Each structure stands twice: as structure tokens, then as C-alpha cells.
Amino acid sequence: MLNTVRYDGPAGTPLLIAHGLFGSARNWGVIAKRLSADRPVIVVDMRNHGNSPWFDSQSYADMAADLAEVIDQPMDVLGHSMGGKAAMVLALKHPEKLRRLIVADIAPVPYQHTQMGPLSAMRRVDPAKVSNRNDAKEQLGELEPGVADFLLQSLDMKDKRWRLNLDVLESDMPQIVGFPDVTGIFDGPTLFLSGANSSYVLPEHRPIIRSLFPNAKFAKIPGAGHWLHAEKPREFEAAATAFLNMPAAG
């Protein structure tokens, strides 16, 4: 069972949040707490991340099964990046477990990029020889702005280890940046919420999105990139809340 962090809220449909690659539930703490003003919120550590168990696979079928195990009643589900792909596979395989779906800045398509840069940077760090986070940041080397601080949230200074299964994340990177062949349709309300400055969800992706999620709607957050929830948290929260609180059709 995945590690979960729960935020109590008023009675209603709970919201489940699935983070992206190299992330953890703690990355979503502020947003989850604010969203819990309207509903209970559950944030998971995905497999091989945070305080969840380590496994020898990072496939989307396995990640979707992990999420299904957490859901004990129909829930709303929000997933970002890798978590968004896992949430989509969950919705396609187990549509009865979801009421609404929010997919944050990702599409159900394979991508050509790789995330080996940050992974290689983490391998340069020797946690046993790190006395503080500044030491670790220096060992990470040059990364895009904000990436080093994000990665260091997964460095356990007390136990001198990464809370990430780097070996499996590296071996399964082709699956992580890809998307599985999966049949099914989720016809519940779905929001593809993207950063206006991001190129992860493109107009040419809409036909495949609509074939799998026929009730999909699309929205963009101005001034935000792929990390839209971190770059524009208030706007992200407002968009998510408006969608989750929309009256049911019919």
C-alpha cells in the first residue's frame, strides 16, 4: 500500500492527488491543505518515491493499480506529469473508481525527452558524505532553476539516502516517458489543465485525448510552465476548485 498523507475536510467526494516523477506527497502539502477547505484530500507517495515501498517496476499499469488500492470509494483524482499518466490509466481501467479527473500538464502520449539529467545529478551526490543541503546542492551540479531544490526534498539527511529508487527509475525511464497501449474510455468530467508556457499538451494531442476522454475540457494557466502548480499555485487551486465544484451535468 502506498504511503498517504490525509487532510481532513468537509464531507464530500474525496480528492486523491498523485505527484510527478522525483516528487512526493510533501511537494503538494500547501495546495492539498487549501483544497481540503472544501473536501477531504489524500496525497500519495507514488511507488519508489517518498515513504512508499520500493518495487522493481515503475510501469503505469502498476502505478494505476497502486492508486486503485488506495481508493475505497469513488473519488476525484488529480495527477501531475507522471502522476497524471498514472491517473489516466487508472480512469481507463477502473472508471467506476472516479467521479472527476484533473490531468495536470501531460497527455496520454509518449514523449521524446528524457529525465536522465536530474537522475544523473542525484547519482553524483554521496549522501553519506553530505553534512548539509548546500553540500548536496553543490554535488548536484548545474541544473535548471528550481530543480536542485525540488530534488533535495527527497534527500533524507538523517538516514543519508535518497527517498527515490534511482535504479528502477533509471531502468524504467522509457516506460515513464512513454504511455502504454490501454483500452477503455473514461466518460466522466475530465480537465486537462496545462501551463500556457508548456509544450507537454499540444493541439495535435487533442484527438487521442478525446478518443479516451470524450468529456475532456482544456484550460491553460497564463505564465506557467510544466510545474504549473508550483509556479502559479493560487491560479492552479482556483482552476481545480472551480472544476471540482461544477454541478453535475444533467
Side-chain angles (χ1 to χ4, degrees), residues 59-212:
S59 75
Y60 285 110
D62 287 335
M63 285 188 272
D66 292 340
L67 296 177
E69 189 178 13
V70 173
I71 296 175
D72 57 5
Q73 66 181 91
M75 293 186 183
D76 296 329
V77 177
L78 186 167
H80 172 249
S81 199
M82 179 190 77
K85 285 186 173 180
M88 285 188 278
V89 174
L90 168 70
L92 295 170
K93 288 193 166 190
H94 302 282
E96 75 283 355
K97 286 185 173 284
L98 283 78
R99 187 190 71 138
R100 299 184 185 214
L101 173 64
I102 300 176
V103 181
D105 210 68
I106 204 73
V109 299
Y111 292 86
Q112 299 303 313
H113 69 271
T114 178
Q115 295 294 339
M116 291 302 294
L119 196 147
S120 297
M122 285 184 281
R123 288 201 182 279
R124 289 195 290 269
V125 177
D126 183 353
K129 297 180 180 179
V130 169
S131 58
N132 56 59
R133 292 190 181 275
N134 285 334
D135 289 344
K137 196 169 186 177
E138 283 190 18
Q139 291 184 37
L140 283 170
E142 291 296 322
L143 292 166
E144 293 183 17
V147 173
D149 291 328
F150 167 70
L151 296 177
L152 289 175
Q153 292 187 51
S154 291
L155 180 61
D156 188 329
M157 294 295 297
K158 180 180 178 182
D159 291 340
K160 301 291 186 180
R161 69 178 188 92
W162 288 104
R163 295 192 192 94
L164 299 165
N165 189 340
L166 299 181
D167 291 341
V168 169
L169 297 180
E170 179 175 1
S171 65
D172 277 14
M173 189 63 70
Q175 293 190 73
I176 295 170
V177 299
F179 193 76
D181 290 328
V182 57
T183 58
I185 289 176
F186 177 70
D187 60 6
T190 304
L191 174 64
F192 282 78
L193 182 60
S194 305
N197 298 339
S198 172
S199 60
Y200 276 73
V201 183
L202 300 173
E204 52 262 40
H205 296 152
R206 292 199 176 190
I208 182 64
I209 289 173
R210 290 196 184 281
S211 72
L212 299 172

